Amino acid sequence: MAAHGSKKVIFAALAGNTLIAITKFAAAAYTGSAAMLSEGIHSLVDTGNQGLLLLGMKRAEKPADDKHPFGYSSEIYFWAFVVAIMIFAVGAGISLYEGIQKIRNPHPIESALIAYIVLGLAIIFEGWAWTVAYKEFKKNKGRRPFLAAVRDSKDPTVFTVLFEDTAAMLGLLAALVGIYGAQTFEIAWMDGAASVVIGLILAGTAFVLALETKGLLIGESASDELVASVRAILQAPAAVKGVNEIRTLHLGPNDVLLAASLDFEDALTAGAVEEVIFSLEDTIKRAQPLIGRVFLEVQAARDHQIHEGE
């Protein structure tokens, strides 16, 4: 997924969440609603998270240097993981705390109409941001099921924003139900219960995002389609007897490292092998622009098997 597409999604979410956070905090102060306060905290955390993702994308663009010879592409994975921690520690933690306090010490909501108006506007803004994120995610999703596409995605920025916006929509519905119940049925603790539900939604979202970004931080291979394409290229020259092994690693969303072991015809001279390797590297990079670094090892199949068995 292209970086400009990711930035479009983040900027859309940043603009929406900033406006929503300000409105929710004002409504929470006016109405005294714990659910509305939790929603304000939720939107504020989301706003900060979008800033962290933009920071990660900016730092990931730094060129390679002696200390980081493979570049800084993995920065985006680190900052996406920080976002998951922020959602859990700040968003979920404060929402649960506020909700429990309101359940223990309930008080009536004042001017519920204001809360309804704010929640309605927030649903519209969040719905717009969610639509932008989903359209961008759908471009890369193809025919794969939603969860499978998330697991296969190597760009955490889009699915992070998508998950945040989904959690935001669910949180708004929880706040709406809590405020309605507290006002209509005069059950003051329902407002606090809604805040607890919002906290649980955020905790669940943070857990899923942490699992996904953990895999990216540890290191995930490229897609099966990319590996199959590379294998076909490597097997094409008559000089190559066989492909012993292909290993790929996503250093960033659009930066793949490729290492392969090839068994060449024994009669070839060293110069001929060098020419084939040069041609293969050039062909691979042209066919798969995501691959930035190629390391091809010349090794007899029997020797490779011996080393693999050690």
Side-chain angles (χ1 to χ4, degrees):
M1 195 171 293
H4 73 274
S6 301
K7 285 185 178 179
K8 178 180 71 176
V9 171
I10 296 173
F11 279 125
L14 182 63
N17 282 316
T18 300
L19 295 173
I20 293 169
I22 294 171
T23 308
K24 285 177 180 176
F25 278 124
Y30 190 76
T31 63
S33 168
M36 186 62 72
L37 178 61
S38 293
E39 274 300 300
I41 294 167
H42 182 177
S43 295
L44 182 63
V45 171
D46 284 351
T47 302
N49 289 342
Q50 271 95 60
L52 291 176
L53 290 176
L54 288 172
L55 173 64
M57 293 180 71
K58 181 66 176 177
R59 292 184 64 85
E61 295 173 355
K62 292 173 60 179
D65 52 36
D66 292 339
K67 196 169 184 179
H68 296 87
F70 292 108
Y72 291 80
S73 297
S74 296
E75 282 259 13
I76 188 61
Y77 297 155
F78 168 76
W79 289 106
F81 190 74
V82 171
V83 164
I85 295 173
M86 287 283 291
I87 293 173
F88 181 80
V90 181
I94 295 179
S95 294
L96 288 170
Y97 175 80
E98 288 294 330
I100 293 171
Q101 290 295 107
K102 185 65 180 289
I103 291 173
R104 295 177 62 185
N105 303 290
H107 57 79
I109 296 175
E110 300 177 6
S111 304
L113 178 61
I114 298 296
Y116 290 141
I117 293 173
V118 170
L119 289 174
L121 291 173
I123 288 173
I124 293 173
F125 292 142
E126 290 286 5
W128 168 71
W130 185 91
T131 301
V132 173
Y134 182 73
K135 285 182 177 178
E136 194 64 32
F137 179 77
K138 195 175 180 181
K139 289 180 183 179
N140 202 46
K141 175 179 173 291
R143 296 184 177 182
R144 291 172 295 174
F146 180 83
L147 292 179
V150 171
R151 286 194 298 268
D152 294 341
S153 175
K154 301 302 185 289
D155 186 351
T157 56
V158 174
F159 71 69
T160 296
V161 173
L162 184 61
F163 273 49
E164 283 183 345
D165 290 342
T166 301
M169 294 292 286
L170 293 174
L172 288 168
L173 293 176
L176 192 62
V177 171
I179 293 172
Y180 178 80
Q183 182 199 28
T184 305
F185 304 110
E186 297 183 352
I187 306 175
W189 60 263
M190 283 191 68
D191 180 45
S195 181
V196 171
V197 170
I198 293 168
L200 293 175
I201 290 171
L202 290 174
T205 302
F207 180 73
V208 174
L209 288 176
L211 283 180
E212 291 301 322
T213 51
K214 183 199 76 168
L216 295 171
L217 276 171
I218 293 173
E220 291 188 358
S221 62
S223 67
D224 293 340
E225 293 79 8
L226 185 147
V227 174
S229 170
V230 169
R231 185 178 295 277
I233 293 171
L234 294 175
Q235 291 175 334
V240 177
K241 290 170 61 177
V243 178
N244 299 321
E245 182 182 31
I246 296 176
R247 293 194 180 186
T248 58
L249 176 66
H250 262 275
L251 301 174
N254 301 302
D255 187 7
V256 175
L257 181 148
L258 167 68
S261 173
L262 305 178
D263 185 6
F264 282 81
E265 293 291 343
D266 296 334
L268 289 175
T269 64
V273 170
E274 290 174 352
E275 290 180 5
V276 174
I277 289 177
F278 176 81
S279 176
L280 286 173
E281 289 181 354
D282 184 63
T283 303
I284 288 170
K285 289 183 178 181
R286 289 177 183 273
Q288 298 292 341
L290 289 182
I291 298 177
R293 295 162 184 80
V294 179
F295 297 94
L296 299 180
E297 178 186 44
V298 180
Q299 190 176 41
R302 62 180 180 277
D303 294 337
H304 178 76
Q305 291 173 358
I306 292 172
H307 287 165
E308 284 295 295
E310 291 179 352

